[in-house]
Amino acid sequence: FAENVSSSIRKCRKAHFTAPAHERRIIMSSALCEELKKKHRVNALPVRKDDEVKIMRGAHKGVTGVVSRVNREKFAIFVDKVQREKNNRQVVQIPINASNVMIMKLKMNGSRQRILTRKALP
């Protein structure tokens, strides 16, 4: 076991909620769909803007949409089709935890391709 990792709930919560942005990116990872798992031999990746995701848990379960925004400060992602109307008729997006979604289609670029080749299982 790792010596520098605490099993204290208080310390784990403090580490989680005071994590710097580069660690929050890793915390905000989601599972890939079966097709992408087979293709890239990777189980999960950090969610980013323009990924297509399917919501797997909660009131909006089953909705598929594109990630319009990722808020690392609140540990939330915003999907374009998940929104509600406020009392003043203003439409706002509902924040969703990254652990409750599955990535269906990746937004590929050079850095993402390098991450996939590095993480690929043997």
Side-chain angles (χ1 to χ4, degrees), residues 4 12-13 15 21 27 39 41 48 51 85 104 116:
N4 60 349
C12 288
R13 283 179 58 82
I27 291 169
K39 182 179 177 185
R41 299 193 321 267
R48 65 166 287 176
D51 281 348
E85 191 176 299
M104 304 304 282
L116 284 169

Side-chain angles (χ1 to χ4, degrees), residues 30-46:
S30 293
L32 298 179
C33 68
E34 292 300 321
E35 181 185 311
L36 291 175
K37 279 184 187 179
K38 287 177 186 170
K39 182 179 177 185
H40 299 293
R41 299 193 321 267
V42 174
N43 288 330
L45 276 178

Side-chain angles (χ1 to χ4, degrees), residues 7-15:
S7 59
S8 165
I9 293 171
R10 180 193 341 191
K11 290 180 183 179
C12 288
R13 283 179 58 82
K14 182 177 182 184

Side-chain angles (χ1 to χ4, degrees), residues 91-104:
V91 177
V92 292
Q93 290 184 314
I94 298 172
I96 296 168
N97 196 309
S99 65
N100 294 335
V101 302
M102 179 182 282
I103 300 174
M104 304 304 282

Side-chain angles (χ1 to χ4, degrees), residues 36-84:
L36 291 175
K37 279 184 187 179
K38 287 177 186 170
K39 182 179 177 185
H40 299 293
R41 299 193 321 267
V42 174
N43 288 330
L45 276 178
V47 179
R48 65 166 287 176
K49 184 179 173 181
D50 296 329
D51 281 348
E52 189 175 312
V53 297
K54 180 179 181 182
I55 300 171
M56 305 302 284
R57 296 278 184 275
H60 303 283
K61 180 178 180 176
V63 176
T64 303
V66 177
V67 176
S68 60
R69 193 164 48 124
V70 177
N71 188 339
R72 289 190 193 159
E73 212 171 283
K74 290 184 174 182
F75 292 102
I77 65 170
F78 297 88
V79 181
D80 59 356
K81 293 180 183 173
V82 180
Q83 50 198 13
R84 72 178 188 87

